[in-house]
Amino acid sequence: MGKINKSTIVFLFLPFVFLGQAQKEEITYYNWFDNVIGQEHTGLYNGKQYVNLDINRVFGEKHAFFLSDKVLKGSITYDGQTYYGVDMKYNLETDKLLVALKPGAVASILQLIRDKVDEFTINDYKFIRIDGFTENNTVINGFHEILLQNASYQLLKRHKKTKRKRLENLGGNKLYSEFLSANKYVLFADGNYRSIKSKTDIIKIYPALKKEINQFYNKNKALRKSKPDRFIQRLFEKVIRQSSPSKKEA
């Protein structure tokens, strides 16, 4: 069965649906669509079979995935169409999105084609795909979580995990893998992406706010240590606000 345009089918079956309807109702209609024809017959069924080579070899809970190594519910905009109530996992080592589909009676984990994933939401965390972000003469592509956004900027987080091998214990002979976080923040403002690795990076972008930035860091040391995401969100909400980056850094 060829690729089916969900919007067309929903329109034909629901002639009295108008453009101004609530998003909740739209999600209900699309879930109905996927249940009727099966996700295996939609454009989402377009990727390659995923095999987890590290299964049963992960040390403790230090797996490669976002939030959990089990599938979580979310939504995906894939190849121009949005799918809701999808079982998925996000591999932070490979920066690949995986979906669990059930063609017939057999569950199948597919690795989606990254260039076709425009955005996705998993457990209410929203991610967008960035292409062509250049840093230190290196082009960076990948998914970034939206932490905060307004008319002036987008504050993003790049989730990343790297694999390290380790023995079960001293003198042991069983080799395990553990995946360690190596996250970073990215700011999109004035048409440019900028990495944020330290307070110095923020001050370089917003030199006029140096005093206020230093004061915020001094007053919120505990928050920065315990909840770094919330710390940087509050910094931008309370100090940066609608300010524009320095033209020298643009």
Side-chain angles (χ1 to χ4, degrees):
M1 185 174 182
K3 180 179 173 182
I4 301 173
N5 187 300
K6 294 196 301 181
S7 300
T8 301
I9 299 298
V10 171
F11 179 79
L12 291 175
F13 275 85
L14 299 167
F16 301 107
V17 175
F18 299 100
L19 293 177
Q21 262 181 310
Q23 184 182 33
K24 184 176 180 180
E25 293 177 335
E26 180 182 356
I27 292 173
T28 300
Y29 298 145
Y30 279 177
N31 283 340
W32 165 83
F33 174 88
D34 289 336
N35 288 333
V36 169
I37 72 167
Q39 286 183 339
E40 67 272 19
H41 297 303
T42 69
L44 190 59
Y45 196 64
N46 185 355
K48 66 179 182 179
Q49 191 77 22
Y50 172 77
V51 178
N52 186 358
L53 299 178
D54 292 301
I55 192 168
N56 299 324
R57 295 176 179 271
V58 175
F59 184 81
E61 294 298 318
K62 296 182 178 180
H63 53 77
F65 299 93
F66 178 69
L67 297 181
S68 174
D69 59 349
K70 307 295 190 297
V71 293
L72 302 170
K73 289 291 184 183
S75 62
I76 307 170
T77 299
Y78 189 73
D79 201 17
Q81 295 195 64
T82 301
Y83 303 85
Y84 299 94
V86 179
D87 291 326
M88 67 176 76
K89 298 197 292 184
Y90 174 27
N91 189 313
L92 299 180
E93 183 201 15
T94 62
D95 197 36
K96 298 292 186 180
L97 191 61
L98 313 175
V99 296
L101 301 177
K102 296 181 179 179
V106 181
S108 180
I109 301 294
L110 294 183
Q111 178 176 291
L112 296 182
I113 301 169
R114 185 173 62 182
D115 290 348
K116 292 189 175 185
V117 180
D118 295 318
E119 62 182 50
F120 66 91
T121 300
I122 183 168
N123 267 29
D124 295 328
Y125 294 87
K126 184 174 182 179
F127 291 81
I128 58 174
R129 192 188 81 240
I130 291 177
D131 293 324
F133 163 34
T134 303
E135 181 180 49
N136 297 327
N137 296 320
T138 300
V139 177
I140 299 174
N141 300 313
F143 299 119
H144 290 66
E145 179 193 355
I146 299 177
L147 294 182
L148 192 66
Q149 65 180 348
N150 58 32
S152 299
Y153 58 75
Q154 274 187 328
L155 179 62
L156 309 169
K157 181 178 181 180
R158 175 67 186 268
H159 293 266
K160 180 69 178 177
K161 286 188 178 182
T162 57
K163 181 163 67 173
R164 184 174 71 178
K165 298 292 185 180
R166 63 174 293 170
L167 292 174
E168 180 179 11
N169 51 53
L170 292 177
N173 57 7
K174 189 170 183 179
L175 191 64
Y176 283 87
S177 296
E178 60 179 358
F179 295 85
L180 307 178
S181 295
N183 305 323
K184 69 178 181 180
Y185 299 107
V186 174
L187 178 69
F188 178 72
D190 287 357
N192 294 284
Y193 290 100
R194 301 169 174 85
S195 286
I196 297 177
K197 300 177 182 178
S198 66
K199 178 177 68 174
T200 300
D201 291 331
I202 301 175
I203 292 175
K204 284 182 179 179
I205 299 171
Y206 299 100
L209 298 174
K210 179 178 180 178
K211 179 180 178 180
E212 291 83 355
I213 293 170
N214 281 324
Q215 289 176 341
F216 185 88
Y217 267 78
N218 291 334
K219 291 180 180 179
N220 294 275
K221 292 179 180 179
L223 180 63
R224 183 187 175 198
K225 185 176 181 179
S226 63
K227 298 179 180 179
D229 288 356
R230 185 60 189 135
F231 171 84
I232 196 166
Q233 284 174 318
R234 290 188 63 181
L235 170 64
F236 273 77
E237 288 170 339
K238 295 181 176 295
V239 178
I240 308 301
R241 298 179 185 176
Q242 303 293 324
S243 299
S244 296
S246 168
K247 292 183 179 179
K248 294 181 180 180
E249 294 296 320

